[in-house]
Amino acid sequence: DTLWDLAIAEVEKRENPDDDDVKPGEVWEKSILFLGNKNGGKTTIILRCLEREESPKPTLALEYTFGRRARRHNTPKDVAHFWELGGGTSLVELIRIPITSHNIRSFAVVLVLDLSKPNELWTTMESLLQVTRNHVNKILTKLEKTNPEVAAEIKQRMWNHLQRDHPDYALVDPFPIPLVIIGSKYDVFHEFDSEMRKIISKTLRFVSHYYGASLVFTSKSEALLLKARALINHLAFGYDKSKSVSVDPSKPLFIPAGLDSMSQIGPPPASDSDLGKLHANTPLELWKKVFEKTFPPKSFCDLQDTKDPAQDSQYAEYEVDVMRAQKNQ
């Protein structure tokens, strides 16, 4: 083949990627975007997934890294692109960079929520998922015009984890691309009062089930990180899905997508008289009101404590810094 033939083949492959039936000897590529609370442990989770023994540094804006794994001996390595959005909810507009119409079929989102900060939990989750969903929906609307088969396949795939005869089929609103919700800092959360733990666990179970997401609680403990890693490796490298489920509120939750149900989760944790007073149009809104009654959201602005990255020692560059000091002077 000439260089042009190879280039044409490469472009065609990019435009029509068929991940589900990767031919032997072909490489598959997946992309995952990590979002969540500031200092919530996103970088630590990524490093563990990639088996890197380095200490995490604070993430500035949007960072990229990748991992490679061979499925079998003597086969080309599959590639997983890991994107990480820093700054909590303050830089959420940057998600337009990693999620594009070219990679939407092989994209997934991991939302890391800091369990030790319940008052920031709903606000963080809502704003990050809303912006991501709006952006993905825009891409899907464009795809419906240019490539309707792919758009239809993505929409169908959102429902794949729920069988049509699942009792909650009409009650949920799956996220348009695969989603994993990770509750980090379980070690701190475990010290909370049991009633508080119950409300947070129940609410996160409802939200995950409603969005068709997997849910896992994790901390720095190796055993818990392995569970989170199993879910992420499934998205990144197509490893087998774990079938185990843990819904006991006194233990770390682990619920792969589609294995929970509204009847098991139960009603929002509030008395009937309280529920009667709350006006909500959707189940999600009702859970939000019940949750925020116990954990009123903090009015916090992520941007206030964003330090000037130019002063950060991890980005020091001698020549640039000298010129800059000269200019400032």
Side-chain angles (χ1 to χ4, degrees):
D1 288 0
T2 67
L3 198 52
W4 289 116
D5 294 332
L6 292 170
I8 291 165
E10 173 66 19
V11 168
E12 277 174 358
K13 194 177 125 200
R14 279 189 192 174
E15 283 175 357
N16 312 305
D18 229 341
D19 297 331
D20 299 328
D21 41 17
V22 177
K23 294 166 191 66
E26 228 179 278
V27 173
W28 88 345
E29 286 189 41
K30 295 277 186 180
S31 304
I32 299 180
L33 172 63
F34 286 77
L35 313 158
N37 294 79
K38 238 188 187 162
N39 308 322
K42 298 183 290 294
T43 312
T44 307
I45 293 166
I46 292 174
L47 291 172
R48 285 302 299 123
C49 283
L50 298 174
E51 295 174 17
R52 290 193 194 149
E53 299 293 331
E54 50 191 89
S55 47
K57 292 176 179 165
T59 302
L60 182 80
L62 186 68
E63 292 201 359
Y64 168 82
T65 184
F66 67 92
R68 298 171 73 205
R69 299 271 160 84
R71 259 169 296 169
R72 286 178 295 283
H73 189 55
N74 283 345
T75 56
K77 289 185 172 178
D78 294 328
V79 182
H81 306 280
F82 288 89
W83 294 87
E84 183 188 355
L85 182 74
T89 55
S90 60
L91 304 167
V92 71
E93 293 304 318
L94 291 177
I95 62 155
R96 290 185 305 220
I97 296 166
I99 309 179
T100 66
S101 53
H102 289 297
N103 63 15
I104 187 84
R105 282 180 78 186
S106 55
F107 214 98
V109 171
V110 175
L111 176 66
V112 181
L113 297 171
D114 187 337
L115 295 173
S116 68
K117 297 178 182 165
N119 299 74
E120 292 177 18
L121 203 137
W122 194 285
T123 321
T124 302
M125 174 182 73
E126 191 173 52
S127 52
L128 290 173
L129 289 184
Q130 225 164 7
V131 175
T132 309
R133 185 171 213 157
N134 292 345
H135 175 61
V136 171
N137 285 340
K138 264 186 206 154
I139 292 176
L140 288 178
T141 309
K142 272 188 198 156
L143 269 181
E144 275 169 352
K145 293 179 186 133
T146 56
N147 200 336
E149 291 90 6
V150 171
E153 182 204 319
I154 292 170
K155 288 192 168 174
Q156 179 47 46
R157 218 171 27 185
M158 316 172 1
W159 291 95
N160 281 357
H161 61 268
L162 263 199
Q163 278 74 38
R164 280 197 175 276
D165 56 359
H166 194 292
D168 303 335
Y169 199 82
L171 303 171
V172 296
D173 183 13
F175 205 68
I177 52 179
L179 173 66
V180 169
I181 296 178
I182 295 181
S184 66
K185 306 199 181 168
Y186 177 78
D187 42 347
V188 181
F189 169 77
H190 191 58
E191 303 300 315
F192 285 6
D193 164 68
S194 68
E195 204 46 45
M196 281 168 73
R197 285 208 312 265
K198 197 170 144 193
I199 294 172
I200 297 169
S201 298
K202 243 183 148 180
T203 304
L204 284 178
R205 275 182 70 183
F206 169 78
V207 168
S208 300
H209 186 55
Y210 183 77
Y211 283 131
S214 299
L215 175 66
V216 59
F217 282 3
T218 185
S219 70
K220 285 186 176 148
S221 104
E222 200 55 39
L224 290 185
L225 274 170
L226 274 174
K227 290 206 155 186
R229 208 171 115 189
L231 283 176
I232 293 164
N233 277 340
H234 169 68
L235 295 177
F237 301 107
Y239 287 15
D240 289 344
K241 246 185 174 163
S242 172
K243 290 274 188 283
S244 71
V245 176
S246 165
V247 293
D248 181 350
S250 64
K251 298 194 175 98
L253 296 180
F254 180 80
I255 311 168
L259 298 184
D260 212 340
S261 69
M262 298 293 185
S263 57
Q264 283 178 301
I265 297 166
S271 67
D272 291 346
S273 60
D274 281 350
L275 286 177
K277 288 176 202 155
L278 295 171
H279 298 291
N281 297 323
T282 62
L284 192 67
E285 211 177 301
L286 182 65
W287 278 83
K288 175 183 178 173
K289 288 185 170 172
V290 170
F291 185 80
E292 292 189 337
K293 206 165 179 263
T294 313
F295 304 106
K298 274 188 189 166
S299 55
F300 61 98
C301 177
D302 274 332
L303 286 168
Q304 281 169 348
D305 54 6
T306 305
K307 296 180 191 68
D308 178 3
Q311 307 302 325
D312 193 323
S313 57
Q314 68 170 315
Y315 302 110
E317 258 181 75
Y318 180 72
E319 287 86 352
V320 178
D321 296 342
V322 167
M323 293 304 285
R324 185 162 173 154
Q326 216 172 318
K327 181 173 180 288
N328 289 346
Q329 214 173 335

